[in-house]
DNA sequence: CACGCGTGGGC
DNA sequence: TGCCCAAGCGT
């Protein structure tokens, strides 16, 4: 049987019932695709439900403040997705009359949408035969065809996209695209793929040659940077604290945090108090204590953050801009959200 | 265009 | 435990 037919047949029996699959509304499909970038269905699902309830149309999303969108995105990671989603929602609502672009060529122009997402939306919503290539597709195709070209090399990206495009079902491109991804996620898994019950076991090169574990090939690994974070959790007499938005290019752009003293190594209380930032913030007397007994190691994909939370009690402070009762309104990285949970618990 | 961007789950 | 992985994209 044809590759695509086998896949679609498998899909008809094994597909997952997911809320966005009940619709071909490009707004819903778009939302789901952005949320699922580099994210498991199990992690993204509740966010999808929350977003579609709060923002049933692109106009509702466009009307929201960016900080509200980020707050709702809190915990899902890769926050530029939320900022780009919101940017594009405003563009669609205000400049396109709320009408989602209907071709791959137009869809990919939107901020936050690349080749994968444009292909997914164009095929699922508008029946355009544009093949998706995500992590699942790399795995399925590299194994089935026995391709050792690195999936994250320029040559690999091109080779797999071209191959995927030759395999797509021209009649049901959307179904085909979802089928190959579900097949990769549920059957041709990274570890312990279900080769013994596989509809491709007669023709899969990796299965035949016992190369499943070697494929797909991925080049080089990322190096992890170590950073040392000291957050100053301020409690003033009038029950306020200081939060500020992270600007610029690095991690957590648009999210809020406590005043941060970053150091090259682990530093102790004396060094905190002696630091320029601390003196600038607290020229007068304060009480300082370390909240966490052991330093918290927060692991991002490419940074390890060795973190201490220092509770600083002080008199009224002119820079204290946030009431403790309002602190939950601010979008914060999960590292800080977890701290706040612990901190509020102890009170 | 190689790199930076989060978080959580699985083994 | 440490490492890899997960419906990628912007710069």
């Amino acid at each position: 049987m044809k590759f695509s037919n086998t896949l679609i047949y498998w899909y008809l029996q094994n597909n997952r019932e997911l809320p966005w699959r009940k619709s071909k509304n490009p707004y819903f499909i778009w939302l789901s695709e952005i949320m699922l970038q580099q994210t498991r269905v199990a992690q993204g699902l509740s966010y999808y439900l929350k977003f579609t309830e709060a923002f049933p149309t692109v106009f509702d999303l466009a009307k929201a403040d960016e900080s509200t969108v980020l707050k709702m995105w809190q915990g899902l990671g890769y926050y530029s997705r939320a900022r780009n989603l919101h940017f594009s929602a405003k563009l669609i609502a205000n400049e396109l009359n709320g009408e989602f672009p209907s071709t791959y060529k137009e869809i990919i122009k939107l901020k936050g949408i690349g080749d994968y997402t444009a292909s997914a939306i164009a095929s699922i919503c508008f029946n355009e035969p544009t093949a998706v290539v995500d992590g699942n597709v790399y795995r399925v195709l590299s194994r089935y065809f026995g391709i050792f070209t690195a999936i994250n090399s320029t040559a690999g990206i091109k080779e797999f996209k071209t191959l995927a495009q030759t395999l797509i079902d021209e009649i049901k491109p959307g179904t085909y695209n979802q089928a190959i991804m579900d097949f990769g996620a549920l059957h041709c898994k990274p570890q312990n793929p279900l080769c013994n019950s596989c509809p491709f076991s007669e023709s899969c090169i990796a299965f035949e040659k016992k190369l499943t574990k070697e494929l797909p090939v991925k080049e080089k690994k990322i190096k992890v940077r170590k950073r040392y974070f000291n957050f100053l959790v301020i409690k003033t007499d009038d029950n306020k604290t200081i939060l500020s938005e992270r600007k610029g290019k690095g991690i957590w752009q648009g999210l809020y945090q406590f005043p941060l003293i970053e150091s090259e190594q682990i530093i102790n209380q004396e060094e905190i108090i002696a630091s320029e930032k601390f003196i600038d913030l607290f020229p007068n007397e304060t009480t300082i204590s370390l909240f966490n007994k052991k330093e918290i190691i927060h692991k991002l994909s490419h940074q390890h953050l060795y973190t201490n939370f220092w509770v600083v009690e002080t008199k009224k402070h002119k820079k204290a801009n946030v009431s403790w009762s309002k602190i939950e309104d601010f979008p914060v990285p999960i590292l800080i959200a977890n701290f706040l949970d612990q901190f509020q618990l102890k009170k």
Side-chain angles (χ1 to χ4, degrees):
Chain A
M1 206 184 338
K2 223 171 102 184
F3 185 81
S4 65
N5 286 345
T6 306
L7 219 38
I8 288 175
Y9 184 70
W10 176 90
Y11 183 69
L12 293 177
Q13 296 171 318
N14 297 285
N15 74 80
R16 291 174 283 187
E17 279 193 28
L18 300 168
W20 49 87
R21 288 187 174 163
K22 292 185 290 194
S23 160
K24 289 196 173 185
N25 180 333
Y27 170 66
F28 292 136
I29 302 299
W30 173 44
L31 201 51
S32 72
E33 292 298 345
I34 300 297
M35 284 182 170
L36 294 179
Q37 287 169 6
Q38 299 289 282
T39 305
R40 285 190 173 75
V41 168
Q43 194 189 356
L45 186 56
S46 66
Y47 287 84
Y48 175 83
L49 297 173
K50 188 166 66 173
F51 265 73
T52 49
E53 181 165 352
F55 310 122
T57 73
V58 71
F59 295 104
D60 301 309
L61 179 56
K63 271 187 289 183
D65 292 331
E66 182 178 284
S67 138
T68 305
V69 177
L70 281 171
K71 182 67 193 177
M72 289 184 53
W73 199 273
Q74 182 178 305
L76 198 52
Y78 284 155
Y79 297 94
S80 66
R81 292 184 295 173
R83 297 194 308 271
N84 290 335
L85 179 79
H86 187 232
F87 180 93
S88 294
K90 286 191 284 188
L91 189 146
I92 293 167
N94 301 331
E95 293 177 37
L96 304 181
N97 238 339
E99 203 155 318
F100 206 93
S102 62
T103 63
Y104 172 91
K105 196 176 166 219
E106 293 300 314
I107 294 168
I108 202 170
K109 289 179 184 169
L110 294 170
K111 199 175 275 188
I113 294 188
D115 177 66
Y116 163 78
T117 306
S119 301
I121 298 172
S123 64
I124 294 168
C125 303
F126 304 105
N127 227 35
E128 187 176 338
T130 46
V132 296
V133 183
D134 72 334
N136 294 306
V137 176
Y138 282 124
R139 188 168 54 257
V140 172
L141 296 186
S142 67
R143 286 176 178 169
Y144 182 81
F145 292 98
I147 300 168
F148 281 77
T149 316
I151 61 171
N152 56 347
S153 64
T154 307
I157 291 166
K158 208 175 155 189
E159 182 177 350
F160 281 96
K161 176 73 184 182
T162 305
L163 174 59
Q165 196 59 41
T166 68
L167 297 169
I168 196 168
D169 188 306
E170 304 271 345
I171 309 297
K172 295 179 171 180
T175 306
Y176 168 83
N177 275 336
Q178 294 184 84
I180 193 168
M181 289 191 286
D182 255 23
F183 181 74
L186 302 175
H187 203 105
C188 193
K189 301 180 291 176
Q191 279 93 30
N192 309 316
L194 311 176
C195 298
N196 292 327
S197 64
C198 183
F200 293 114
S201 58
E202 296 297 311
S203 44
C204 175
I205 302 288
F207 181 62
E208 181 195 338
K209 300 187 173 173
K210 299 192 189 308
L211 292 169
T212 311
K213 281 186 179 168
E214 325 302 323
L215 292 168
V217 173
K218 207 170 185 176
E219 253 169 18
K220 62 201 154 188
K221 30 186 159 177
I222 53 170
K223 42 185 162 186
V224 175
R225 173 157 75 120
K226 290 185 181 180
R227 302 175 73 177
Y228 302 88
F229 280 9
N230 295 276
F231 287 114
L232 303 180
V233 182
I234 291 142
K235 282 186 71 177
T236 65
D237 277 352
D238 54 347
N239 217 23
K240 290 185 173 177
T241 191
I242 302 179
L243 280 186
S244 57
E245 186 185 344
R246 285 187 71 98
K247 312 264 191 189
K249 289 224 161 207
I251 55 173
W252 302 330
Q253 189 188 338
L255 276 59
Y256 286 77
Q257 65 178 16
F258 298 110
L260 171 63
I261 296 172
E262 184 171 356
S263 51
E264 293 304 312
Q265 280 298 328
I266 300 166
I267 53 174
N268 60 29
Q269 185 166 317
E270 285 69 44
E271 290 168 294
I272 296 284
I273 293 171
S275 72
E276 196 179 334
K277 184 150 189 171
F278 191 90
I279 293 167
D280 184 48
L281 230 36
F282 308 107
N284 302 319
E285 203 174 325
T286 59
T287 310
I288 180 169
S289 68
L290 180 60
F291 180 78
N292 48 296
K293 301 305 162 212
K294 230 179 121 183
E295 71 184 340
I296 297 159
I297 306 173
H298 184 74
K299 294 179 177 178
L300 289 72
S301 52
H302 52 292
Q303 294 184 29
H304 288 184
L305 309 177
Y306 295 76
T307 306
N308 282 328
F309 289 93
W310 300 89
V311 178
V312 182
E313 298 187 71
T314 182
K315 295 175 186 170
K316 288 190 183 183
H317 196 294
K318 60 174 184 281
K319 287 186 179 169
N321 54 349
V322 173
S323 290
W324 273 97
S325 57
K326 296 278 185 195
I327 202 153
E328 301 286 340
D329 296 346
F330 291 82
V332 295
I334 211 68
L335 171 63
I336 290 178
N338 288 342
F339 161 77
L340 286 172
D341 286 346
Q342 295 293 314
F343 189 60
Q344 310 284 23
L345 215 60
K346 284 216 172 176
K347 284 206 306 187

